[in-house]
Amino acid sequence: MRILVVEDEKKIADFIKRGLKEEGYAVDSAYDGEQGLFLVKTNVYDLVLLDLMLPKLDGQSLFKEMRKMKISFPVIMLTAKDATKDKVAGLDLGADDYMTKPFAFEELLARIRAVLRKKEGRDSKTIKIEDLVMDLSAHKVTRAGKEIPLTSKEYSLLEYMMRNSGTVVTRTMISEHVWDINFDTFTNVIDVYINYLRNKIDAGHAKKLIHTVRGRGYVIKVDKV
Ligand code: CA
């Protein structure tokens, strides 16, 4: 899952970015409204964290501009002001959620997960494919009941594939949702990570779940025998 953080207070922006990366999210950041608008126009995000008080273009204007252009990424607004008026204004505009700074990072994570679940119309906190289970809250993956240790990038890639199980995901789609803006399209890093996952998820199991679709990409699914 790829997140854009639009926040001009660099300390807060860096704190959020570091925390999200540790959780396995791909994160881009913008430090003013214009840069934020440019990034939402030119990239694909699963979620945008949008501060309201921003230089050059304020958060509400950025949000309105985004929606006017039919860019429908979910948005959680961040603001230092805790006035009910601002909260109501933000939600009236159609923001998915709202957080008042300062906030506990754990709460931000919980809200992000909730918004992503809502977006997918998924209520469950786990994703299951055959005997492979991902617990989205605990960040744990098990196969046949046995926990599989994953790095945050491996987890993130597997999460993206499991959320799209049964659908072929191309390398471009993977790079857009799992890597950040610094992704180098000329490397084979995605294939390398797919191999890491295969070794951890499928090796030693008769039923393979990760499949290559030649010329297109990858899919995670149960093969009908
Ligand atoms: Ca600000």
Side-chain angles (χ1 to χ4, degrees):
M1 301 284 107
R2 184 174 177 186
I3 297 178
L4 173 65
V5 181
V6 190
E7 164 67 81
D8 59 310
E9 284 159 80
K10 208 167 173 301
K11 256 177 79 177
I12 298 177
D14 291 349
F15 166 74
I16 294 175
K17 185 173 181 174
R18 197 171 57 239
L20 291 177
K21 282 191 154 186
E22 281 169 6
E23 291 292 315
Y25 294 103
V27 189
D28 292 337
S29 31
Y31 300 108
D32 65 61
E34 279 179 5
Q35 194 191 2
L37 185 61
F38 173 76
L39 289 176
V40 295
K41 284 200 280 190
T42 50
N43 293 282
V44 179
Y45 293 104
D46 297 292
L47 185 91
V48 179
L49 295 179
L50 179 61
D51 184 31
L52 288 183
M53 307 262 275
L54 291 167
K56 294 188 185 172
L57 181 70
D58 68 83
Q60 291 201 1
S61 304
L62 194 166
F63 183 79
K64 284 184 196 159
E65 197 59 35
M66 243 178 94
R67 291 301 190 243
K68 217 164 75 190
M69 290 184 294
K70 308 277 180 238
I71 299 171
S72 57
F73 311 146
V75 171
I76 298 179
M77 287 182 172
L78 308 175
T79 187
K81 297 181 290 186
D82 60 350
T84 313
K85 178 164 86 37
D86 294 315
K87 181 170 178 170
V88 171
L91 294 173
D92 272 354
L93 281 175
D96 296 83
D97 205 349
Y98 195 101
M99 288 204 74
T100 305
K101 292 184 281 188
F103 48 76
F105 191 69
E106 284 303 313
E107 189 187 349
L108 177 65
L109 287 177
R111 300 239 191 156
I112 288 173
R113 287 193 295 262
V115 168
L116 293 174
R117 275 203 304 276
K118 195 175 77 183
K119 177 191 165 198
E120 296 177 337
R122 185 197 299 280
D123 268 338
S124 162
K125 291 184 168 92
T126 58
I127 311 176
K128 198 165 178 281
I129 294 157
E130 192 74 15
D131 56 354
L132 178 67
V133 181
M134 173 172 274
D135 181 329
L136 296 165
S137 305
H139 253 238
K140 275 188 185 156
V141 175
T142 58
R143 178 139 195 209
K146 194 165 170 273
E147 190 176 340
I148 301 166
L150 296 174
T151 65
S152 61
K153 203 47 137 185
E154 289 165 354
Y155 179 93
S156 188
L157 174 58
L158 183 63
E159 180 186 359
Y160 180 66
M161 293 183 75
M162 288 181 78
R163 284 179 188 273
N164 292 284
S165 65
T167 307
V168 177
V169 291
T170 64
R171 288 177 184 79
T172 304
M173 288 161 73
I174 292 172
S175 71
E176 283 175 346
H177 290 272
V178 182
W179 268 268
D180 63 26
I181 200 166
N182 301 312
F183 180 74
D184 178 356
T185 44
F186 297 103
T187 66
N188 65 343
V189 65
I190 290 174
D191 309 82
V192 170
Y193 271 90
I194 291 280
N195 273 330
Y196 291 158
L197 281 183
R198 280 201 163 114
N199 286 332
K200 292 188 176 183
I201 305 293
D202 279 341
H205 293 270
K207 264 191 192 161
K208 306 299 180 205
L209 299 176
I210 299 172
H211 307 275
T212 304
V213 182
R214 276 188 64 186
R216 293 185 61 205
Y218 298 101
V219 61
I220 192 160
K221 63 172 184 179
V222 184
D223 244 359
K224 305 267 184 304
V225 187

